[in-house]
Amino acid sequence: MTIGNMENVEVFTSEGKGRGLKATKEFWASDVIFAERAYSAVVFDSLVNFVCHTCFKRQEKLHHCGQCKFARYCDRTCQKDAWVNHKKECLAVKRYGKAPNENIRLAARIMWRVEREGTGLTEGCLVSVDDLQNHVENFGEEEQKQLRVDVDTFLQYWLPQSQQFSMQYISHIFGVINCNGFTLSDQRGLQAVGVGIFPNLGLVNHDCWPNCTVIFNNGKIELRALGKISEGEELTVSYIDFLNVSEERKKQLKRQYYFDCTCEHCQKGLKDDLFLGVKEDPKPSQDVVKEMIQVSKDTLEKIDKARSEGFYHEVVKLCRECLEKQDTVFSDTNIYMLRMLSIVSEVLSYLQAFEEASYYARRMVDGYVKLYHPNNAQLGMAVMRAGLTNWHAGNIEVGHGMICKAYAILLVTHGPTHPITKDLEGMRMQTEMELRLFHQNEFMYRKMREAALNNQPMQVMAEPSSEPTPSLFHKKQ
């Protein structure tokens, strides 16, 4: 279940945080500190027909389980590998008449594993599922209500011939899923496809400016170092995206994970001045700034609505108008401006308006670089998208530079074997070749590019989703 390297870490009591993990030796950027397979995992409800229930890869054609008709697999190998986890689930789905929601399916899979193996430590595990945090006592009224509904459904779904667990234990498992669930992504790391429980990862505490990152790669998670980590240093990951003022991040962490963040960035409000940056000359009054923030929030709501209805030209129009107003008030690192730039560049790329998209994408990257940790995975992905957009727009020098920068970040955050890093390496070689041609003979480069474009349509960007990029830790918002 855990893939070696657990001797690289040890459990300790972290001041003010409870348990944590610390390094037992020195690490450098891109080192894999440990890898871990899920204790249990399930595919999201919305994707059960499109993703293999064993390896979580998206496939065009999937075989379904002949018995329950619910589970889907790439092939016989995946089906055989799944049987130990699917056996009881198969009976339960048939008996219940349908598959329940992902939370109930995951809770049941965890408890069938506990039934098979007992509650003690499984091999390579530093903590048992019983000892993971559940925070049920911190649940608000809504969460309590949802918990009662989930427990009721679970009891109807659970097989009568299986081991019967106490209500308290069932609630504990739902609490564990709620605060320890980790998002699983498809093979290319671009779409969140499921949720799993990784007990060792559950011991890693949060920091808004962490020294590690987590990536799902080929059926397992990897905890990777973002820079030098000394022996004895606590290992941390960020549970949320850094791109927000400290006050908002603290609220989000309290609401979703029930703790008060005391990391240095939150305590000192580091980068908050940049997140809310305004023009220096002339400096706008506080009232003007306040009003512009409100305009930005209102526009974001309208954008969400237009996006969800597929009115992409309307989205672009709203962004352009808002950016024009923002330009007179905000600086290039202001989060409201960056949100607009991110949306408009993504939607314009989808609409194949690469020239305009590339301008907004460059501005977005300029802001991100001043805010994110240099080895942040989300920064790497954003730079990659901006590089692609510029390449498609014919800005070969900028495009190649960004693709190289993204490649350097992803080598640290995803590692050289991750499919997305390999894709990026291919793009880097292609743009390097085109750049050489461009420098030798720009006229020839333009002619060849034109011919290539007339021959084949440009690779279309994926349709913009209203979902944010998959966040690592799976939380009901």
Side-chain angles (χ1 to χ4, degrees):
M1 138 146 195
T2 302
I3 306 145
N5 339 35
M6 288 325 293
E7 65 279 3
N8 288 342
V9 297
E10 69 181 20
V11 184
F12 78 118
T13 304
S14 175
E15 199 184 332
K17 293 182 184 176
R19 284 176 313 196
L21 283 188
K22 64 179 177 184
T24 56
K25 59 181 238 195
E26 188 175 78
F27 291 102
W28 295 88
S30 86
D31 283 347
V32 176
I33 298 166
F34 69 78
E36 180 180 19
R37 292 197 184 279
Y39 182 82
S40 295
V42 294
V43 175
F44 286 149
D45 296 337
S46 55
L47 293 169
V48 288
N49 297 331
F50 309 104
V51 172
C52 173
H53 292 209
T54 302
C55 69
F56 294 89
K57 287 180 179 164
R58 275 195 82 116
Q59 302 284 8
E60 284 299 310
K61 272 200 144 113
L62 292 166
H63 305 276
H64 60 65
C65 166
Q67 298 289 312
C68 67
K69 309 281 191 282
F70 164 68
R72 298 279 194 283
Y73 305 107
C74 297
D75 50 32
R76 291 270 172 256
T77 310
C78 278
Q79 187 162 4
K80 216 163 82 220
D81 290 349
W83 187 239
V84 64
N85 289 308
H86 178 57
K87 194 175 174 179
K88 293 279 176 77
E89 179 182 69
C90 191
L91 292 169
V93 169
K94 280 196 297 188
R95 182 180 155 272
Y96 187 59
K98 61 176 193 222
N101 74 37
E102 62 216 28
N103 262 13
I104 288 151
R105 287 187 286 120
L106 182 54
R109 280 194 161 212
I110 292 169
M111 283 184 259
W112 280 315
R113 182 154 182 183
V114 168
E115 179 185 42
R116 282 200 311 274
E117 299 175 4
T119 56
L121 287 176
T122 43
E123 191 193 344
C125 240
L126 301 169
V127 61
S128 72
V129 175
D130 285 23
D131 290 334
L132 286 172
Q133 288 265 298
N134 66 47
H135 285 293
V136 172
E137 74 282 359
N138 301 116
F139 277 17
E141 214 172 303
E142 269 308 298
E143 288 169 308
Q144 287 283 3
K145 211 162 86 183
Q146 187 55 52
L147 178 63
R148 286 197 292 275
V149 172
D150 282 347
V151 171
D152 278 352
T153 312
F154 172 85
L155 290 169
Q156 292 165 42
Y157 173 65
W158 188 248
L159 294 168
Q161 67 269 36
S162 281
Q163 180 184 338
Q164 297 305 306
F165 292 96
S166 70
M167 294 292 270
Q168 195 185 349
Y169 190 77
I170 298 167
S171 299
H172 163 73
I173 295 296
F174 278 111
V176 164
I177 293 169
N178 185 54
C179 53
N180 292 278
F182 183 84
T183 303
L184 310 183
S185 49
D186 64 357
Q187 59 270 44
R188 292 193 59 231
L190 294 176
Q191 188 188 17
V193 294
V195 55
I197 293 293
F198 298 82
N200 293 336
L201 179 62
L203 293 170
V204 181
N205 284 317
H206 164 86
D207 193 297
C208 290
W209 197 261
N211 55 16
C212 296
T213 189
V214 194
I215 196 73
F216 186 67
N217 184 14
N218 199 16
K220 61 190 185 303
I221 59 103
E222 294 173 346
L223 185 74
R224 306 179 67 90
L226 293 178
K228 181 178 181 291
I229 297 174
S230 308
E231 184 182 338
E233 196 179 324
E234 176 166 16
L235 302 168
T236 55
V237 292
S238 181
Y239 296 174
I240 59 171
D241 185 17
F242 176 64
L243 227 57
N244 219 331
V245 286
S246 55
E247 215 34 62
E248 288 301 319
R249 288 199 310 271
K250 282 165 83 164
K251 275 189 208 157
Q252 188 186 349
L253 289 162
K254 184 73 172 170
R255 187 177 71 246
Q256 295 184 349
Y257 297 95
Y258 318 102
F259 70 86
D260 297 301
C261 188
T262 56
C263 80
E264 188 188 12
H265 275 69
C266 282
Q267 280 187 328
K268 295 181 179 169
L270 300 179
K271 303 216 178 207
D272 282 358
D273 55 335
L274 291 174
F275 285 136
L276 297 175
V278 294
K279 285 265 185 283
E280 277 305 316
D281 193 25
K283 207 177 173 105
S285 71
Q286 274 189 306
D287 285 346
V288 168
V289 173
K290 238 186 176 148
E291 192 186 335
M292 196 60 247
I293 288 175
Q294 198 47 57
V295 167
S296 304
K297 284 179 175 173
D298 295 344
T299 306
L300 283 165
E301 275 186 27
K302 288 179 195 161
I303 286 170
D304 276 348
K305 188 174 183 304
R307 239 177 141 160
S308 65
E309 292 164 357
F311 297 148
Y312 295 124
H313 289 283
E314 178 62 20
V315 171
V316 172
K317 186 167 159 283
L318 286 164
C319 288
R320 278 193 197 122
E321 286 167 5
C322 191
L323 280 162
E324 211 172 298
K325 293 176 192 159
Q326 288 178 337
D327 272 332
T328 60
V329 180
F330 294 156
S331 71
D332 64 346
T333 57
N334 187 290
I335 44 175
Y336 292 104
M337 186 117 133
L338 289 170
R339 280 177 196 154
M340 287 297 155
L341 290 168
S342 166
I343 295 166
V344 76
S345 59
E346 187 191 357
V347 173
L348 283 165
S349 288
Y350 173 67
L351 296 172
Q352 304 226 334
F354 295 116
E355 195 63 52
E356 191 185 353
S358 67
Y359 161 69
Y360 291 127
R362 286 197 299 276
R363 286 181 56 187
M364 174 188 78
V365 165
D366 288 346
Y368 280 1
V369 166
K370 294 173 188 162
L371 296 168
Y372 274 121
H373 183 291
N375 283 336
N376 179 291
Q378 269 155 314
L379 172 65
M381 299 293 276
V383 176
M384 176 181 85
R385 281 195 296 269
L388 262 174
T389 301
N390 275 275
W391 179 22
H392 284 353
N395 306 328
I396 187 65
E397 288 175 293
V398 175
H400 177 68
M402 283 183 172
I403 284 167
C404 288
K405 186 177 174 54
Y407 182 63
I409 297 172
L410 263 58
L411 277 175
V412 172
T413 60
H414 291 57
T417 64
H418 194 284
I420 208 153
T421 317
K422 287 179 175 168
D423 279 358
L424 205 44
E425 190 177 18
M427 290 175 215
R428 191 184 60 128
M429 285 155 72
Q430 175 70 27
T431 50
E432 196 173 312
M433 197 173 71
E434 289 183 23
L435 187 61
R436 270 207 302 275
L437 178 62
F438 175 79
H439 283 150
Q440 284 162 0
N441 187 333
E442 188 178 336
F443 176 74
M444 269 307 288
Y445 167 76
R446 299 273 174 224
K447 276 275 172 251
M448 281 179 70
R449 196 184 131 73
E450 220 171 282
L453 284 181
N454 290 338
N455 256 331
Q456 56 173 80
M458 266 297 180
Q459 168 202 346
V460 179
M461 297 276 188
E463 182 165 357
S465 76
S466 51
E467 313 265 311
T469 33
S471 62
L472 296 176
F473 293 88
H474 174 66
K475 287 303 290 184
K476 296 274 181 266
Q477 292 304 316

